[in-house]
Amino acid sequence: MKLSNKTLSQLPKGVVVPTYDRSHLKIKIVHLGFGAFHRAHQAVFADILASEHKSDWGYCEVNLIGGEKQIEDLKQQDFLFSVCEMSYDDWSTRVVGVAKEALHADIDGIDKILAVMTRPEIAIVSMTVTEKGYCYLPATASIDTDNKLIKHDIENPTKPKTLPGVIVEALRLRKEKGLKPFTVMSCDNMPENGHVTRNVVLALAKLRDANLANWIDQNVTFPSTMVDRIVPAVTPETMDKIQKQLGGIEDPAGVAGEPFKQWVIEDKFVNGRPEWQKAGAELVDDVLPYEEMKLRMLNGSHSFLAYLGYLAGYLHIDECMQDPNYVKAARHLMLQEQATTLRVQGVDLQAYADSLIERYRNTGLKHRTWQIAMDGTLKLPQRMLDSIRFHLANNTPFDCLALGVAGWMRYVSGTDDACKAIEVSDPSADKIKQLVATSKDNEDRVTALLSLTHVFGEDLPKNQFFIDKVTKAYLSLRDLGAKQTVQQLAKNF
Ligand SMILES: NC(=O)c1ccc[n+]([C@@H]2O[C@H](COP(=O)([O-])OP(=O)(O)OC[C@H]3O[C@@H](n4cnc5c(N)ncnc54)[C@H](O)[C@@H]3O)[C@@H](O)[C@H]2O)c1
């Protein structure tokens, strides 16, 4: 039996279910990217508001690329899905009821999605589509006009496939109909996610119609957000545990994440917003310092552990935390090499680092190092390279960061320390493969990978001090393996 309105009453007592009248919810937010993270984060905030604060903000959930099954599942279960919190062996579950409609571009057609986005009552279009979804070049933070799908959208603007293309077309239709625009809110892990979204949307609009671009520029806001909650990809084991939580009822759209959640939002909305602060979100004037803190301390250390951990055979983050040298190195990276580069004020960064280490230790999470390691070319700039630039400018040490970059290079070279092949998943995988195949496994490999200027910019590949540091770390990984290299480094801390 599956989760649905009918089966809600059969759930075990401890499961939190919607106690509010779902028919009173109005679809005022279209969310693009009905992935694991959105379900356990923004949807939970909305659910808390509906159940505890009489909010009527409901969602239309959309997937543009991938995730067909998730949308089909949601439709079949009256748009209900469960979110479990896993703290070591202790689990708790809530059934979220704020979704009212679900669409997929390939199943329902893009016209239906655009029709929802141009309903007058839509106030916000939010998104969690991973870094790839923005079709941008991290080194310039602007649109990648060589991207095949962007090329498609330039040629077929009324039948867009990409996130920027869909937003531009929906806004054009709203302008044409004389409707108010909506606010565009990114909830992806990127620095200045609001600025990136604005840049790609405006760049694509400009290529189409200068007047439209001007109207968007004048009328639409793109608040940046800092989002935090670790929500690993669902595995068959997680699915079984979710079913157990639901007393045997199946929920293929269910997800499980850690208990912690945080959301800092730049408060600039053109057409109203839910009272997220009542559910614990922070509405601020400038989200950038928080974003930077999270990207460098959390995501930066996550990537470090992912590359060095995967090479050493640690499949999950909590396994890395059982190795005292990895803990030492991660803490050093957070406090000595990332915290020192930050602008955020009034936050106890020592306590923040401690809380991160504690969260990583959660053995209930099973967060795969492989999952965190993917799409490295889009992640390295904001997670490690910006801090490295800070240290180069200030003449301060960055040994852990250099090892993190070398770890990525070793990882994308394609074999772990036990000589097992690595399945490298990255939008630049073809180029990386070619660079690896045509370089020797020594300093030559470092030089070859540094030629990816969309990752390393023009400056770092010319900085001999940086090259030497990364090369030394790379050669140590090649000769000693990750565990021993981390151990040697941790001896100094
Ligand atoms: N999972 C986490 O712990 C976590 C924490 C903080 C932030 N985030 C952010 O959320 C994002 C999504 O994470 P998730 O766990 O939901 O991943 P997921 O794999 O479960 O979902 C990815 C979503 O992105 C969509 N998507 C993928 N490629 C796309 C493309 N090219 N164009 C449009 N849509 C595309 C898919 O349809 C799917 O809905 C992350 O990349 C990150 O930026 C995740």
Side-chain angles (χ1 to χ4, degrees):
M1 228 180 322
K2 279 208 180 147
L3 182 67
S4 68
N5 282 334
K6 264 197 198 146
T7 54
L8 268 186
S9 60
Q10 297 168 32
L11 295 173
K13 266 206 184 106
V15 176
V16 176
V17 295
T19 46
Y20 49 91
D21 184 350
R22 294 180 70 213
S23 67
H24 284 169
L25 293 176
K26 299 188 182 92
I27 296 178
K28 292 194 267 186
I29 309 182
V30 174
H31 185 82
L32 308 175
F34 182 66
F37 182 62
H38 165 69
R39 277 172 271 171
H41 192 269
Q42 301 96 57
V44 170
F45 276 90
D47 197 63
I48 294 171
L49 289 184
S51 58
E52 295 171 25
H53 301 282
K54 299 197 170 84
S55 157
D56 67 350
W57 287 77
Y59 274 94
C60 172
E61 306 290 2
V62 173
N63 274 346
L64 297 173
I65 296 175
E68 290 80 354
K69 184 169 178 313
Q70 289 156 357
I71 294 293
E72 291 289 274
D73 288 335
L74 194 61
K75 286 179 185 173
Q76 281 170 22
Q77 46 193 55
D78 300 321
F79 310 104
L80 292 168
F81 57 90
S82 47
V83 177
C84 295
E85 285 186 5
M86 8 186 221
S87 176
Y88 295 86
D89 286 337
D90 188 17
W91 282 53
S92 61
T93 305
R94 117 180 256 132
V95 173
V96 171
V98 288
K100 291 205 68 172
E101 202 172 341
L103 295 168
H104 196 291
D106 292 339
I107 300 167
D108 302 287
I110 194 65
D111 290 345
K112 265 201 188 148
I113 294 169
L114 290 167
V116 178
M117 292 172 78
T118 44
R119 287 180 194 156
E121 62 276 17
I122 297 299
I124 298 170
V125 171
S126 56
M127 68 227 49
T128 47
V129 289
T130 77
E131 292 89 340
K132 302 187 273 296
Y134 295 80
C135 311
Y136 83 116
L137 295 167
T140 57
S142 73
I143 202 155
D144 178 5
T145 41
D146 288 334
N147 179 305
K148 264 190 231 145
L149 293 175
I150 289 291
K151 281 187 176 160
H152 167 276
D153 286 3
I154 292 172
E155 278 159 29
N156 309 276
T158 59
K159 300 279 176 207
K161 288 184 189 288
T162 68
L163 169 95
V166 169
I167 292 176
V168 168
E169 177 59 3
L171 287 169
R172 185 193 69 81
L173 289 167
R174 287 183 86 93
K175 175 176 181 276
E176 196 178 82
K177 289 182 177 184
L179 293 171
K180 269 188 170 181
F182 44 67
T183 300
V184 181
M185 178 176 67
S186 165
C187 295
D188 273 295
N189 275 334
M190 297 179 301
E192 306 191 57
N193 53 13
H195 292 266
V196 170
T197 316
R198 184 173 182 275
N199 281 355
V200 292
V201 166
L202 279 180
L204 193 62
K206 261 187 207 147
L207 289 172
R208 184 169 178 185
D209 171 359
N211 280 337
L212 172 63
N214 200 29
W215 182 81
I216 295 174
D217 190 23
Q218 305 283 313
N219 294 285
V220 181
T221 52
F222 298 80
S224 282
T225 63
M226 182 271 243
V227 288
D228 192 5
R229 181 170 222 181
I230 299 172
V231 189
V234 177
T235 61
E237 297 84 66
T238 325
M239 239 339 115
D240 286 349
K241 285 195 178 166
I242 294 175
Q243 191 170 354
K244 232 187 229 161
Q245 287 289 306
L246 298 178
I249 288 173
E250 277 174 70
D251 177 8
V255 289
E258 65 170 340
F260 180 89
K261 64 179 184 317
Q262 188 180 14
W263 197 4
V264 187
I265 306 166
E266 198 179 355
D267 198 3
K268 50 173 196 188
F269 288 78
V270 286
N271 205 353
R273 63 160 171 84
E275 293 180 292
W276 284 304
Q277 69 279 11
K278 291 188 174 169
E282 295 159 75
L283 278 297
V284 299
D285 289 338
D286 183 9
V287 84
L288 211 69
Y290 297 90
E291 213 178 48
E292 217 172 56
M293 173 184 85
K294 193 241 168 184
L295 282 168
R296 294 186 188 176
M297 289 183 68
L298 190 160
N299 301 116
S301 63
H302 244 172
S303 286
F304 175 89
L305 293 169
Y307 296 121
L308 278 311
Y310 191 94
L311 289 169
Y314 299 144
L315 295 185
H316 301 102
I317 290 291
D318 64 295
E319 288 163 50
C320 300
M321 292 292 99
Q322 283 162 29
D323 183 327
N325 295 316
Y326 277 63
V327 176
K328 254 190 184 177
R331 195 189 292 277
H332 183 91
L333 177 106
M334 286 181 203
L335 287 170
Q336 306 307 324
E337 299 189 17
Q338 300 282 40
T340 49
T341 70
L342 298 175
R343 288 173 274 183
V344 72
Q345 295 199 335
V347 179
D348 181 345
L349 295 175
Q350 177 92 37
Y352 183 60
D354 288 344
S355 76
L356 292 178
I357 297 282
E358 205 39 50
R359 288 165 64 193
Y360 294 174
R361 285 192 203 278
N362 185 345
T363 50
L365 274 181
K366 294 292 162 234
H367 202 184
R368 288 179 69 195
T369 42
W370 182 84
Q371 188 191 353
I372 301 165
M374 72 197 289
D375 297 346
T377 56
L378 296 178
K379 291 175 173 171
L380 281 189
Q382 63 267 26
R383 294 182 180 204
M384 294 190 184
L385 303 179
D386 287 344
S387 296
I388 287 177
R389 287 188 176 94
F390 174 97
H391 292 299
L392 287 169
N394 289 282
N395 211 7
T396 40
F398 58 93
D399 297 318
C400 282
L401 288 165
L403 178 57
V405 173
W408 171 77
M409 291 180 169
R410 195 79 202 133
Y411 179 90
V412 299
S413 292
T415 38
D416 69 10
D417 292 345
C419 298
K420 267 198 276 169
I422 301 174
E423 189 196 331
V424 176
S425 172
D426 194 286
S428 302
D430 291 344
K431 181 73 191 159
I432 290 172
K433 237 186 204 162
Q434 182 214 329
L435 291 171
V436 169
T438 54
S439 59
K440 290 200 192 100
D441 191 12
N442 53 26
E443 51 273 25
D444 199 24
R445 176 72 42 81
V446 174
T447 312
L449 288 166
L450 284 178
S451 73
L452 294 166
T453 47
H454 69 289
V455 183
F456 294 100
E458 301 286 347
D459 55 340
L460 293 175
K462 290 187 195 132
N463 189 308
Q464 199 54 47
F465 186 67
F466 168 72
I467 298 170
D468 290 347
K469 261 190 150 7
V470 175
T471 305
K472 192 171 163 225
Y474 182 87
L475 296 177
S476 173
L477 288 173
R478 184 197 65 181
D479 298 338
L480 304 177
K483 260 188 223 172
Q484 223 177 311
T485 302
V486 173
Q487 185 189 23
Q488 294 223 332
L489 186 70
K491 263 192 213 154
N492 308 322
F493 309 142

